[in-house]
DNA sequence: GAATAAACGAGACGGTACGTCTTGTCTTAGC
DNA sequence: GCTAAGACAAGACGTACCGTCTCGTTTATTC
């Protein structure tokens, strides 16, 4: 059922998504979609929730810089190159209030999970005790997302690596406490 | 003319924006809107372009940390609290390809202007020679935008100040070169 | 439903007929009209078909001349004096191909029914065996319709009677075989 | 100028005729058309008037039956086979009151000219003195026009000849006085 | 095994927005 | 002074989508 929504989002984006087409693709009548989700908003919210519920664990490469690089590449890759599910879900959050709330939850969940990367670094002694995990992660993903989503700039691997290395160094220097 | 678009965007958001209502509000016939902008997309693109064309100069408080704080507060203020023009324009960029391109230009313009803050800091000797102005600005705005737009977290003044101060310190330490 | 179409045709003619007004008059939404008739043409065609489907029997006065007179008066009356449904339907046939086909059917049906008048005259011995019924009817209605519709000449009762009598005489003389 | 109107009428019929296209085809600006004809109706009326003004003389074959046959064939030929100028002008008369009046004049003129055929027959002694010329002509063209225009029946040459012969015979018998 | 509740397929409907197309009026220049 | 160029108001057209609804049918579930 949600497969159909995802497929439609990928094919036609959020603007091209239609209850009719979702219904037809999932072999179900349009009325049934309304009965179960009540709304296009609900449909979109559920699609975001599905993404949110899918299990995810942060990378573990052995070093903070490596983890941050891997993390950032994943984030960038998901938002780079237009017909992307992540971008479609982001667009969906502007069409449906419920989807927006769900998307906030998605990012909160992922951020909460991603701080483990910093925890591990701290337990390895790479960064000082009071280091703010969220600040570290946001210091990497924030600028990259702004580049990709708002500036429309393609971000290449070396950029990501460089940024991750600099953030790791700043964290090691105790500047992100 | 664009006043009407802006007003509609503020009142009803991008989803509630209608060619009919824009036309009526600006005292013009619907056909005229189509003649001049061809499309809802063109209308939105032009609204973004108008924002882009409005003059803007980065703050000048005398210190890098102060400038970055002022800059960041402006950015956060424009995207915090839902019925905001900036958010509506962002939403518009997901409805119209042309608006998206225009929005990228907007952010590029603003970023280009904002690096002057770092230039000034360098000429004052606050930061070393090779400091990357864009990296400095993005280090402040990126995480904040991610917080506000994606995480849905309200960002308060002390958060902004603290982040600006840390980025200024990192730049002074030559970590953003 | 078709009552509304007829009323609009009578009031404003075919040029003034609008899907919107038909819909409003029949207490139905515009979209429903499009769903059911697809087209203004379809609407007109159906109006003609309704006229075609309405039962009709030729007059029976006891004599061929009397029948032809009554028949002709009916035809003339339906096309004389501008705001006439028959004229509006004729106009409709120039706006919609489907309506034109339907109108042809209407006239064929009526002609087919009208020849009964001649059949009866034959069985009464008023006209010889091989008399062509259609030719008799057309000899009366054709010239009159040309007068009313093409020449724009008002046709009065005596004209009709005179013509009917002459045609009846010609038929009796075996000239319409 | 009127060439363009005629060409458009032939190509697209009255429904497809547009002031814009007429103007463009005649190499003139749309505003000029309005200045000179004021109205689409005026344009159509003028097209009909042009047809009316074109010289026409009835056929002269030497016999009444021959003349009537030739006359009828001309009339039928002008209205048979859909994309016909005569039919388009007829359709135009349903779109414009002025064109309708003009068309009535056209038919009156032609009828007035056509009675010469009967005059000649009378002077040749083919028909009695009091024969009604108009009645003779209408007896031929009326039924044929009803067949072609209203019944939608194709009319072939033998039909025309037969009818003309019968009418000539009736006239000779003094039945059309 | 029959009765009944719940979900479903099908499809009409009211309502809105979109974008296109004509018509007829008008203003501004140019020849 | 007529004309080209073209903007404009008005409004019909036909399409697409949304969300609601009714109606009949199929499942389950329960007695």
């Amino acid at each position: 059922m949600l497969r159909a929504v995802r497929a439609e989002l990928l094919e036609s984006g959020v603007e091209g998504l239609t209850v009719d087409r979702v219904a037809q693709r999932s072999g179900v009548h349009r009325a049934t979609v309304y009965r179960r989700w009540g709304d296009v908003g609900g449909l979109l919210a559920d699609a975001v929730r599905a993404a949110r519920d899918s299990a995810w664990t942060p990378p573990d490469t052995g070093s903070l810089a490596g983890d941050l690089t891997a993390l950032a590449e994943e984030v960038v890759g998901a938002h780079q190159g237009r017909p992307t599910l992540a971008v479609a879900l982001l667009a969906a959050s502007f069409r449906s209030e419920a989807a927006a709330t769900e998307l906030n939850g998605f990012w909160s969940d992922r951020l909460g999970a991603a701080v483990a990367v910093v925890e591990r670094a701290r337990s390895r002694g790479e960064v000082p005790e009071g280091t703010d995990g969220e600040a570290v992660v946001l210091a990497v993903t924030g600028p990259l997302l702004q580049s990709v989503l708002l500036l429309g700039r393609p971000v290449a691997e070396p950029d990501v690596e460089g940024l991750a290395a600099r953030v790791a160094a700043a964290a090691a220097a105790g500047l992100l406490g």
Side-chain angles (χ1 to χ4, degrees), chain A residues 56-138:
Chain A
W56 180 81
T57 49
D60 187 358
T61 64
S63 74
L64 179 57
D67 285 0
L68 290 177
T69 299
L71 193 65
E73 260 165 10
E74 196 173 341
V75 170
V76 166
H79 293 87
Q80 191 123 273
R82 269 264 122 176
T84 286
L85 185 60
V87 172
L89 292 178
L90 178 53
S93 80
F94 285 101
R95 189 166 163 189
S96 150
E97 199 65 40
T101 306
E102 210 62 51
L103 191 70
N104 290 339
F106 169 85
W107 281 104
S108 293
D109 287 0
R110 292 294 157 101
L111 179 59
V115 293
V117 156
V118 184
E119 302 276 321
R120 286 198 301 258
R122 191 164 49 197
S123 66
R124 279 193 304 259
E126 275 189 89
V127 299
E129 201 59 31
T131 302
D132 180 345
E134 291 195 347
V136 172
V137 173
L138 290 178

